[in-house]
Amino acid sequence: MMATLSPDSLGPTICVGEILVEIMATTIGDGFREPIDLIGPFPSGAPAIFISQCARIGGMAAMIGAVGEDDFGRINTERLADDGADISAIAVDLDYPTGSAFVRYRSDGSRDFVYNIATSAAARFGWIGNVEALVSRAGHLHVMGSGLSMQSAVDVIERALPIIRERGGSLSVDPNLRKEITYDADTKKRFRNLIATADLLLPSGEELELAAGIEGEDAAIERLFEMGVKEIALKRGSAGATVFRPGAEPVSAAAFEVEEIDPTGAGDCFGGAYVASRRLGLSVEEALTYANAAGARNVTRRGPMEGAGTREELDRFIAETPRLGG
């Protein structure tokens, strides 16, 4: 097996960024311009979902971020701790509330979000003692593109990466680009720089070409390898997923046939399972199967991380669930 990510024994996988609660509309429609029924709050935030799945599958995992001194913050920290994640570097802000996201699905499957991140506790953390202590023993850094819109996350990522590299650690990047977030020129430059130094890239669909800066799947993959990316796990939704590595045959795995209840968090669970599995020493084939299962299982539950599975739960899911096209 070609090694790409540092072994789990080197230290935990860490992720930096937003920790939120998600509150969901129970009806399909456009936006939030009239009174509607809502459910939640659910623990959320793409980096937190990723870390939840990492920890649940059995990998060492830790989160860097901030929550408010409120119930929304507590349901997040308690969930992550229960999942087995290290929460020592999650700050509790006494002045700002926990970040939030309200979501409503449209009839075409797209979503409308109302976020409160920039003026919440989610954006109020930095390089404090607990963060430095965690980074000093970390073995892997995972970066979500959504976090690059937060200066607090950028500052921590830019300080953490060389420390982790110096220890022999590795980097994975999920572009995780959102239409609700405006990415300025500096953010786009940071994104390109991270892509160029990533050991593992986890794009979805058109994010592959965006990351490479070139059109066409084959050309984009070749360009990314030329940039230095060592492994690409391309998420294809209902078409499954494929892993590409320089000099190796692509490895594909079919998606699982499930009834989709809530797609939010599927890609984050895919990434969490794949990164943790690879760091635990599993083959690409094994890791890809677990990643597909984690993403599929998560969409069968309402709430962004409610379906994140342990290894035993995912083994059972894999054994019992048919594959699409199988």
Side-chain angles (χ1 to χ4, degrees), residues 54-67:
C54 260
R56 285 182 66 78
I57 205 170
M60 291 190 291
M63 182 69 201
I64 298 173
V67 297

Side-chain angles (χ1 to χ4, degrees), residues 45-316:
I49 301 166
F50 171 90
I51 287 297
S52 168
Q53 180 59 81
C54 260
R56 285 182 66 78
I57 205 170
M60 291 190 291
M63 182 69 201
I64 298 173
V67 297
E69 175 59 35
D70 52 38
D71 284 347
F72 288 173
R74 283 184 279 275
I75 67 169
N76 273 285
T77 55
E78 289 171 3
R79 168 61 62 82
L80 288 171
D82 287 347
D83 288 343
D86 183 336
I87 62 170
S88 63
I90 297 178
V92 177
D93 193 283
L94 302 181
D95 300 315
Y96 282 70
T98 300
S100 60
F102 288 76
V103 60
R104 190 181 193 189
Y105 288 91
R106 296 181 176 183
S107 56
D108 64 359
S110 63
R111 295 170 288 179
D112 287 317
F113 284 98
V114 176
Y115 284 111
N116 178 24
I117 298 177
T119 56
S120 75
R124 291 171 61 83
F125 61 92
W127 193 264
I128 58 175
N130 287 354
V131 171
E132 184 174 12
L134 174 60
V135 169
S136 70
R137 56 184 176 82
H140 182 84
L141 173 64
H142 181 74
V143 175
M144 294 282 189
S146 59
L148 299 181
S149 63
M150 301 167 58
Q151 189 60 48
S152 53
V154 169
D155 292 343
V156 171
I157 289 167
E158 290 183 344
R159 291 188 68 170
L161 182 55
I163 295 171
I164 294 171
R165 285 293 196 198
E166 181 69 22
R167 301 187 66 244
S170 47
L171 169 70
S172 56
V173 177
D174 185 334
N176 193 234
L177 303 174
R178 295 175 179 164
K179 66 182 178 64
E180 296 84 7
I181 298 176
T182 300
Y183 298 90
D184 60 21
D186 287 341
T187 302
K188 292 176 182 177
K189 182 178 179 181
R190 290 189 191 100
F191 176 72
R192 288 194 299 270
N193 290 341
L194 280 168
I195 294 297
T197 58
D199 297 286
L200 169 65
L201 184 66
L202 295 140
S204 296
E206 64 185 19
E207 291 176 345
L208 176 74
E209 297 177 6
L210 184 62
I214 190 171
E215 293 184 358
E217 182 176 299
D218 292 343
I221 291 167
E222 183 177 353
R223 172 69 62 82
L224 289 166
F225 288 159
E226 291 171 353
M227 292 166 63
V229 177
K230 300 178 183 67
E231 188 166 321
I232 301 168
L234 178 60
K235 295 169 279 186
R236 303 183 187 273
S238 61
T242 305
V243 171
F244 302 90
R245 293 173 294 162
E249 286 295 316
V251 175
S252 294
F256 290 88
E257 186 175 346
V258 294
E259 180 182 356
E260 183 178 280
I261 303 299
D262 178 11
T264 302
D268 307 321
C269 283
F270 176 101
Y274 190 81
V275 168
S277 295
R278 294 290 280 137
R279 295 200 67 218
L280 288 166
L282 275 64
S283 69
V284 168
E285 291 83 356
E286 291 171 312
L288 194 56
T289 297
Y290 276 121
N292 274 351
R297 186 178 189 273
N298 200 54
V299 307
T300 65
R301 311 291 200 278
R302 195 175 299 280
M305 63 174 75
E306 301 308 299
T310 65
R311 190 161 177 176
E312 293 74 21
E313 288 169 337
L314 293 176
D315 282 336
R316 187 162 56 251

Side-chain angles (χ1 to χ4, degrees), residues 8-21:
D8 198 61
S9 58
L10 185 62
T13 294
I14 63 172
C15 198
V16 184
E18 69 274 18
I19 303 173
L20 314 172
V21 292

